[in-house]
């Protein structure tokens, strides 16, 4: 069981950028796939990006492909989500969670959810 915590959210104008961090307290972090999810008010939670256990494979939802980049620093037990060209529809609470694989059909098995960080894209 990991203990994950997100940080880096905030208010940014359309077209701006933010970098979110997902930090784990445990060294076992490197043995988990880490996914980024978001939930906007009144909407279902959406899986938007994932990085595999060996950090060699990254996946993106169509809604963020080409704008967001997921990366990992295992020495710091941290996964990042660089978000560029932000749009108002990216406004949501962003969460990270841990799982065994980045296959989308297994997102429902992800656990160790962090408390989330709010991202608001508005002028």
């Amino acid at each position: 069981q990991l203990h994950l915590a997100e940080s880096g959210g905030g208010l940014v104008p359309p077209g701006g950028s933010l970098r979110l961090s997902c930090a784990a307290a445990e060294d076992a972090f490197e043995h988990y796939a880490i996914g980024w999810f978001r939930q906007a008010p009144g909407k279902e939670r959406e899986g938007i990006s994932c990085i595999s256990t060996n950090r060699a494979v990254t996946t993106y939802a169509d809604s963020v492909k080409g704008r967001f980049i997921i990366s990992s620093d295992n020495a710091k037990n941290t996964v990042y989500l660089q978000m560029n060209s932000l749009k108002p529809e990216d406004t949501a609470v962003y969460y990270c969670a841990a799982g065994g694989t980045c296959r989308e059909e297994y997102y429902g098995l992800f656990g160790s959810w962090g408390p989330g960080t709010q991202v608001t894209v508005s002028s």
Side-chain angles (χ1 to χ4, degrees):
Q1 180 88 14
L2 297 181
H3 295 84
L4 302 177
E6 307 89 346
S7 61
L11 174 63
V12 62
S17 297
L18 280 176
R19 189 177 78 160
L20 305 184
S21 298
C22 171
E26 297 83 4
D27 290 341
F29 168 81
E30 65 181 24
H31 300 304
Y32 291 83
I34 301 297
W36 281 100
F37 302 78
R38 67 185 181 187
Q39 188 164 22
K43 294 188 176 182
E44 292 188 356
R45 188 174 61 202
E46 174 189 18
I48 57 172
S49 186
C50 185
I51 190 164
S52 64
T53 51
N54 62 5
R55 307 304 187 234
V57 177
T58 58
T59 63
Y60 300 93
D62 288 343
S63 57
V64 306
K65 197 171 294 182
R67 300 187 298 124
F68 291 10
I69 301 170
I70 191 170
S71 62
S72 176
D73 186 339
N74 281 352
K76 295 182 178 180
N77 287 353
T78 301
V79 166
Y80 302 99
L81 186 68
Q82 177 67 42
M83 306 188 298
N84 302 318
S85 303
L86 283 162
K87 306 174 182 179
E89 51 263 44
D90 293 318
T91 296
V93 178
Y94 283 70
Y95 302 89
C96 62
T101 174
C102 284
R103 292 177 61 177
E104 189 173 345
E105 59 264 41
Y106 292 105
Y107 278 176
L109 298 179
F110 272 55
S112 301
W113 294 88
T117 185
Q118 176 71 46
V119 172
T120 302
V121 184
S122 175
S123 55

